[in-house]
Amino acid sequence: MADFTELPKAYEAAAVEGDIYAAWEKSGAFNPDHAKGEPFAIIMPPPNVTGVLHLGHALENSLMDTMARFQRMRGKRVLLLPGTDHAAIATQAKVEKMLMEQGMKNPRQELGREQLVEKIRTFAEESKATIINQIRTVGTSADWSRLAYTLDDQRNIAVKELFVRMYKDGLIYRGYRVVNWSVKGQSTCSDDEIEHVERPSKLYTFKYAKDFPITISTTRPETKLGDTAVAVHPSDARYQQYIGKVFTVDVGACRVLEIKVIADEAVEPGFGTGALGVTPAHSAIDFAMYEKQKAKGEPIGIIPVIGPDGKMTADAGAGYVGLSVEQAREKFVTWLKTEGLLEKEEDIVQSVGTSDRYGDVIESIPMTQWWLDMNKVIPKRDKTLRELMREAVTVGAHGNAPVRITPDRFTKLYLDRVENLRDWCLSRQLWWGHRIPVWYRGEEMYVGTDVPLGEGWEQDPDSLDTWFSSGSWTFTTLGWPEKTQDLKTFHPTAWMTMGYEILYLWMMRMVLMSTYALEEIPFKDAYIHGILRDEHGKKFSKSAGNGIDPIEVIHQYGSDALRISLLFGISPGNDSRYYTEKIESGRNFTNKLWNISRFILTTIGSDDVASTTKTLADEWILSRMSEVAASVTQKLETFQFSAAGEELRDFTWGDLADWYLEIAKVEKGKKIILTELLQTILKLWHPFMPFVTEHIWGLARFDGKLIVAPWPTGPSDVGAHGNAPSPEFERLRLLVTDMRRLRQEQGIEAAKKVEFIVIDHVGAIHELPLQELVGQNEAWIMRLINGSCTSNKIAMPDGYVVAQSGSATIGLNLAGAVDLEKEKAKAEKELEEIEKYISSTEAKLGNVEFTAKAPEKVVQGMKDKLAEAQAKREALKKRL
RNA sequence: GGACAUUUAGCUCAGUUGGUUAGAGCGCACCGUUCACAUCGGUGAGGUCGCAGGUUCGAAUCCUGCAAUGUCCACCA
């Protein structure tokens, strides 16, 4: 037996964690190929390779890893598949920004495609290495042999295959439509990449010309140079006479507009003038009208007046070409004023679409791009992609149950979003990403996974939206499009976690891709976590300067401490705060567990006599243990990480350390029980705190590896103590607390020799080492009167100060120096409270409605409480 | 404009189908240190569960309305 007395008094996390992780990895425990049992796969949400991990990632990893380790110990064949995301626009924007800070004016022009991509790749590889290292540091039990990257060759094959299939199914099309355009980024972006920022703006109300009959309003006067129609509501009496008419108006600077008055339901008659200047080229809603008119056979024109460079085009007129949007606006408004056409100019607050990566205002510009159709029926499937996304969370499909989203309120949000999805613009004018698998030669176009045969083919210069590859992440990581064993074993995956901020961006796309390509719903459960904020509730961000490096925290406090401090006190879908006191409390508990273990190990090392009979305390702690094990299991099964951990902490610290171990010091002979208790709590804690538990398990030389030790779930695993915790013990525990309080209330010095009398009618007072528990061993004298005595015959002698503990009466000898008046008043107050409680409880129990309708358990519980309260009342009465 | 969330002890938050006299951590007050742990032990103070109605034998929990805060969505030009 090793000598445990030499172990350090405080747990030194930094000294052991690295070696422990390396040993796990080496043992192959992370790799499911070495395991049996029912498959349980968690695919890691791949962190962006834009930098380093933050605390939010640490939270996500803690959730994933706790679930993975729990399931692994339960005998499942667990795959936690790690990976990183190339994050197309985010990474390219970041590297371009860095290059510009280093003095480059236009990195794309100066470096060209190949060199810039190389720069980005170098950066990405560096952050990838950092990130992977960080994931190891937090202890995530990921299978590194299956490490994936959204931009590696394997994923490239899959992405191309997916694109080609969708194209062949007619879901992907090339179309000239209004896109979201970032001038700064020189690329399209999807609706989801736009952040709406409120800012002050001006609303101008004006007429195109003196002889034009309708007044319109706009916040973007410069775009009016591209107007081709004015839309009014079809039933608006004011404008009936004009519908269908075409007006030619001179807007100065060599521009003449042909404006047709059209009717459209989308126009609100009550808003502004009830008429809307239609700019098909620079507004999504106006473009929709343009298409509607075209379909009706009454086409209107489309005139782009803003170019991709953010400057006015030649079509804006000779006086405007080359001007910036702002300059053009000023010029046009000035012209309106001089012509007397401007009727009103109001200050308003407007929500402006802004690029979340490049930060500039998004322009709507018509362009030819690649799109994914949400409304087209998939051949041989009889359903649209939108329908596939819908049924995946409602009725399920292909024999898969619907995804269970925790908390389920997000299901409704998801569905609302699915209904409002527009076609997805897939192409980006970025260089960092999967290149679109399309080649052109003159008028010819080829869509395929490989370069077409023959001379002169040029590949589409654009790349795919980053979510195209991350959307297919659950199955491309498992080897699709090959029919691999992994795919068969682990897909659909079991459990997935993500922050609510990417529920739309990511989850919908994963569902879309998986239900389309595999006819499988990609996961059974989606657990949505909140955002981690700083102590003031602010989001962590670089610009706010409140970022915290999880690795530094781990270095100082240990990975386990960080994990439990992130996991405790949270609830799914809600934000949580991080602050120093929390991590300290995590560290303190880790240390507590360390010292509990140290005590048990030294005790079982020296205490070689094992008692064969169980004491009251033994029975109590073992039944509590099995009760807690069952409850923690149930909570983890339902993803209640916080509740499970806190229950376990309360048991470990409160029941085990503060009570049982103190009793064990006196009772002795507990080698077997203490060993069993230590093993069980180490197992139960392992998913939450893998390092310290593994470290202790190793020091103790317990059998096997903790990481794959069988999970304790109930009585049979902790030694057949299935009975409910003894109420007798709980009563005695209360008695001890009450005795301690009485001593403190009387201000008795710790070393003073005093005498207690405890009068009780039932119970096993002698079954607890009361003297030791209440105070200093030698200094106390205690007379216990219980069991056979009848209450009438026993009275507390004079000179004792008295307290009530349940039905027991405690007397503390003050050698006559008792304030009888005060004592009486105290008892009276207590009696008053208990009377109140008794009468309200009696009233409840007397209510037939209650006894008839409430569950038996509730009624019985109340009766028991009442009986106890009545006993206490009798005892109190005797003292008055 | 729409939707969602939050409001419980000084602070940060739990509270799972409505059911004992509402909990935790931190903080606070008092007592305690050779005995696993001061990163500790003991004891205690502290809450009309945002407000107003309603349903129910019973409401922090369900319903309605209101208020404050936060988040997301939206093509009000």
Side-chain angles (χ1 to χ4, degrees), chain A residues 22 81 234 236 271 288 404 496 671 718 871:
Chain A
L81 194 151
D236 195 326
F271 187 87
R404 189 169 53 165
M496 171 68 78
K671 199 169 177 167
V718 288

Side-chain angles (χ1 to χ4, degrees), chain A residues 59 242 326 619 673:
Chain A
L59 166 64
Y242 306 117
E326 291 77 16
E619 294 288 358
I673 291 174

